[in-house]
Amino acid sequence: MDFEAVNWLAVIAAAVVAWLFGAAWYMGLSKPWLKAAKLDPATMKKSPLPFVISFIAELIMAYIMALVVGAMTGGEPTLLAGLVFGFVLWLGFVATTLSANHRYQNFGWDLTLIDGGHWLGVLLIIGVVIGWFGAAAT
């Protein structure tokens, strides 16, 4: 795996688009998400920190996706490869982790579906952007 052969423009673009998707996703599903997460907006502390952490997490995810897709495609990422790897990584790691964690935390499947749908969208978007931009210019 070549840690230097990463298209950084693709990584940054993927993280930005994924973060914007997340903002739209949770704005549209804010009421059902708050109910499913058992949160009261009146008692929640307002802070920009979760938004910053989300962007950093998506930047790391985009970097890892670029490495994985690049390694698995011989250094020539494609849109389809990004889409497939986005789905497979979501299914193998995110869907399974959320399903288990939410059961231990005594949350309902509604929270799992909302959060899982968000992360599926994020990983598909990241994969598509990484694949669409292709390999780093040499």
Side-chain angles (χ1 to χ4, degrees):
M1 189 175 300
D2 188 357
F3 289 93
E4 295 177 16
V6 169
N7 186 334
W8 283 102
L9 181 60
V11 168
I12 293 166
V16 168
V17 174
W19 189 87
L20 291 172
F21 164 77
W25 180 267
Y26 283 109
M27 280 178 24
L29 294 171
S30 62
K31 287 182 183 177
W33 180 79
L34 286 166
K35 181 179 177 191
K38 302 174 186 172
L39 295 171
D40 179 5
T43 61
M44 292 174 62
K45 187 166 82 170
K46 308 289 189 263
S47 169
L49 190 58
F51 301 100
V52 173
I53 291 171
S54 294
F55 181 74
I56 292 169
E58 287 159 354
L59 196 57
I60 293 167
M61 292 171 101
Y63 176 68
I64 298 301
M65 181 75 76
L67 290 175
V68 168
V69 174
M72 298 303 290
T73 61
E76 295 297 326
T78 65
L79 194 137
L80 181 60
L83 195 62
V84 168
F85 282 106
F87 177 76
V88 168
L89 292 172
W90 172 82
L91 182 63
F93 296 102
V94 178
T96 55
T97 301
L98 281 178
S99 295
N101 283 358
H102 286 169
R103 300 305 69 75
Y104 281 110
Q105 297 165 346
N106 204 27
F107 288 114
W109 283 101
D110 49 350
L111 183 62
T112 306
L113 292 173
I114 293 169
D115 288 345
H118 163 253
W119 289 114
L120 174 60
V122 163
L123 284 166
L124 292 177
I125 287 167
I126 288 173
V128 164
V129 172
I130 296 296
W132 181 48
F133 273 68
T138 54

